[in-house]
Amino acid sequence: MDWDKLRIFHAVADAGSLTHAGDSLRLSQSAVSRQIRGLEDQLGVPLFHRHARGLILTEQGELLFDATSEMARKLDMAEAYIRDTEEHVMGELKVTTATGFGTLWLVPRLNKLYAMYPDLKVNLILEERVLDLPMREADVAIRMKEPSQSDLIRRRLLNIRMRLYATRSYLSDAGRPTTLPDLSRHRVICQDPAMPQVSAGKLLVQQLLEQNPRSLLMVNNYFGVLQAVLNNVGIGVLPDYLTADFPELVRVFDDVESAEVPVFLAFPEELRGSRRVIAFRDFVVDEIQAYRKSQSPIE
């Protein structure tokens, strides 16, 4: 099969439109259409169902798209290897982690990474969904659980716990609770237990909600919870790694906390020799070690 036709087919299947594919390929719609017709004629089967809203792959088209997707992945991998043969760390690195850890711990430290590698381009993907590293949805992941896929290199970075925090100002005005039932006189800030989050945090929130707090604020990520706590809205459930960067946080109960949550860094085996991945891994490990030295032991 003609490699150029396959490249164009992949772009059309990915975009679902001749026009959008043409824009990405910098070809006219008619030129793209001719290439697709030529490939269909060569194979003797239709690859798309055509209708007013766009293009849908036929069964044969789906099979071919699976193959071209694998080819594209391998080409991306080859490009990464070629670029990583250079001594200079540069190029794009896709990193995924949870929204809370990414916004509150990782992003504030990235200036140190860029100071060491100013030509690095980090594409940071913050979401609770676990991306597929072997399929190159991301190059590196930092997650609050051990990866289940066997073909990943993983490193345990630290253990964290969810605890209750407030500001001194809030506790001065509202009073400091000494037992869990005292939460009935306070506003609790937390994530909705029905929303995606680590199970240890969810169990702690459920325990707190059983105390029937006077008022409640639910936010779908820890960044929002932190902002509410810092602005004296109430008592919030937050990960303990925040105390290093936000000394105004005061722990409310000494004996109320979630189970330990492991934090892992992982990347595909095939990227073991990637200079960009190694540079990022070493940076994160160094920052974790510095964090541990500045805090009382958390493990």
Side-chain angles (χ1 to χ4, degrees):
M1 282 183 277
D2 187 303
W3 283 96
D4 199 46
K5 287 187 175 66
L6 289 176
R7 178 178 65 89
I8 293 173
F9 162 79
H10 183 79
V12 173
D14 192 45
S17 161
L18 294 172
T19 302
H20 292 156
D23 290 342
S24 66
L25 296 168
R26 298 184 180 179
L27 295 173
S28 67
Q29 180 178 340
S30 59
V32 173
S33 181
R34 281 196 303 272
Q35 294 292 326
I36 296 299
R37 283 198 303 270
L39 185 58
E40 289 177 325
D41 291 343
Q42 182 182 352
L43 295 173
V45 294
L47 298 172
F48 294 97
H49 295 298
R50 294 162 173 81
H51 59 84
R53 291 175 296 173
L55 301 174
I56 297 178
L57 287 165
T58 62
E59 183 179 353
Q60 294 85 354
E62 290 279 4
L63 289 172
L64 187 58
F65 185 55
D66 287 343
T68 57
S69 296
E70 179 66 13
M71 291 161 56
R73 185 182 73 84
K74 289 184 176 179
L75 286 171
D76 287 343
M77 192 188 312
E79 181 183 6
Y81 279 135
I82 291 169
R83 289 185 180 275
D84 279 338
T85 59
E86 304 171 5
E87 292 186 7
H88 190 52
V89 175
M90 60 182 297
E92 183 184 42
L93 180 71
K94 290 188 288 186
V95 178
T96 180
T97 189
T99 303
F101 190 82
T103 56
L104 298 173
W105 192 89
L106 181 59
V107 169
R109 291 168 168 79
L110 286 180
N111 63 320
K112 300 176 185 177
L113 178 67
Y114 284 120
M116 293 185 288
Y117 309 110
D119 296 324
L120 189 62
K121 299 175 182 177
V122 177
N123 180 356
L124 188 56
I125 306 165
L126 301 178
E127 56 177 288
E128 307 314 309
R129 180 174 69 93
V130 177
L131 301 188
D132 193 328
L133 297 186
M135 291 302 295
R136 297 303 301 276
E137 287 188 307
D139 300 315
V140 183
I142 300 176
R143 284 294 170 193
M144 311 300 130
K145 60 184 291 188
E146 184 170 6
S148 59
Q149 294 161 305
S150 60
D151 53 348
L152 295 178
I153 296 173
R154 76 281 314 275
R155 176 166 183 160
R156 190 169 187 149
L157 297 174
L158 75 162
N159 293 330
I160 63 175
R161 293 180 186 270
M162 312 304 164
R163 293 168 172 164
L164 276 75
Y165 296 95
T167 62
R168 290 180 178 82
S169 177
Y170 172 84
L171 296 175
S172 175
D173 292 340
R176 185 177 189 130
T178 57
T179 64
L180 274 179
D182 290 343
L183 290 177
S184 62
R185 300 192 297 272
H186 291 269
R187 181 175 299 109
V188 170
I189 311 162
C190 60
Q191 294 196 56
D192 186 336
M195 297 295 291
Q197 58 186 295
V198 295
S199 58
K202 179 188 298 187
L203 290 174
L204 176 59
V205 168
Q206 290 171 339
Q207 179 187 3
L208 300 178
L209 295 184
E210 292 173 358
Q211 307 305 318
N212 296 314
R214 184 187 69 182
S215 180
L216 192 64
L217 171 62
M218 290 189 178
V219 189
N220 69 341
N221 61 64
Y222 286 124
F223 179 79
V225 175
L226 174 65
Q227 294 306 307
V229 171
L230 294 178
N231 285 279
N232 304 318
V233 176
I235 298 171
V237 178
L238 289 166
D240 58 5
Y241 60 75
L242 292 177
T243 55
D245 298 325
F246 298 92
E248 57 267 52
L249 294 177
V250 177
R251 188 174 176 186
V252 176
F253 297 109
D254 292 335
D255 57 349
V256 177
E257 60 187 10
S258 75
E260 282 188 339
V261 179
V263 181
F264 281 86
L265 182 145
F267 54 89
E269 171 74 34
E270 62 208 27
L271 293 180
R272 177 189 291 272
S274 167
R275 294 183 184 276
R276 284 169 292 175
V277 169
I278 292 170
F280 181 80
R281 179 204 62 193
D282 291 347
F283 156 74
V284 171
V285 169
D286 288 346
E287 286 300 309
I288 289 291
Q289 290 175 347
Y291 162 76
R292 282 173 162 167
K293 288 179 181 178
S294 69
Q295 299 295 298
S296 57
I298 40 181
E299 292 189 25

